[in-house]
Amino acid sequence: MEAGTKAGTSKKELAAEAWRPLVAFFFKTAKHRTRVLGRYGLTPGDAKALASLEPGEGRPMGALAEEWACDASNATWMVDRLEERGLAERRSSPTDRRVKLVVLTALGRKTWAAIMERMFEPPPELLRLDRADLEALREALARLPSLDGEDALVRS
């Protein structure tokens, strides 16, 4: 039995014990992400919106509102913010002129790539771990199942 593991601990309980500090760490390092976004004048909501878009592939406003779990007027406001910064643009659908598609611009793609490059820089709190702990963490996280859409976060 591994150190710190109680006999009779279920897999679900063990997973919860691992998940709690990951979530806490994520929330406690929010300043790191806020600083990165702040360099570009963006909010976490703007980042979420950018992550939903692809260059050349338009997404209907309704689909974005559904993905962002908000009403259409809020999605419009979020897209307006991206459009004002030149990060996204609305285009008419080639199959239905009534439908507006939102597309990531070249500047949006470049900005997103720069943001993600900085987001992937480890926060100072992580650098406090010793090398062996970092290697163990890296190995454990590498075994997590991949998630659909994860490539959208690291596109360039």
Side-chain angles (χ1 to χ4, degrees):
M1 181 174 1
E2 293 182 34
T5 303
K6 296 177 238 159
T9 302
S10 72
K11 187 173 179 180
K12 184 175 180 178
E13 291 168 328
L14 189 56
E17 288 175 13
W19 182 243
R20 279 187 208 98
L22 286 172
V23 171
F25 184 78
F26 179 78
F27 285 124
K28 288 179 181 177
T29 57
K31 286 181 185 178
H32 171 72
R33 294 181 300 282
T34 300
R35 277 193 297 272
V36 169
L37 292 174
R39 291 179 185 173
Y40 301 92
L42 300 174
T43 67
D46 296 329
K48 180 180 179 179
L50 277 175
S52 301
L53 301 175
E54 293 286 340
E57 289 185 31
R59 300 275 315 272
M61 291 291 292
L64 292 173
E66 184 177 325
E67 180 178 329
W68 300 338
C70 66
D71 61 36
S73 65
N74 195 14
T76 297
W77 178 80
M78 291 170 73
V79 171
D80 285 348
R81 286 179 48 82
L82 296 180
E83 230 177 3
E84 287 168 8
R85 290 167 174 79
L87 303 174
E89 65 184 13
R90 289 178 176 91
R91 296 181 184 163
S92 294
S93 167
T95 58
D96 186 346
R97 292 181 307 159
R98 297 169 297 173
V99 175
K100 291 293 181 190
L101 303 176
V102 182
V103 180
L104 193 64
T105 64
L107 177 60
R109 189 174 91 207
K110 181 180 174 183
T111 301
W112 182 250
I115 288 169
M116 292 313 297
E117 183 178 325
R118 284 170 183 77
M119 286 288 190
F120 288 138
E121 292 172 2
E125 298 86 351
L126 191 58
L127 296 173
R128 292 184 191 140
L129 293 177
D130 65 30
R131 185 173 185 82
D133 286 341
L134 286 170
E135 288 173 353
L137 181 60
R138 180 190 62 197
E139 297 304 318
L141 293 173
R143 289 189 297 273
L144 286 174
S146 66
L147 303 173
D148 290 342
E150 71 180 74
D151 292 339
L153 294 177
V154 294
R155 70 173 178 269
S156 55

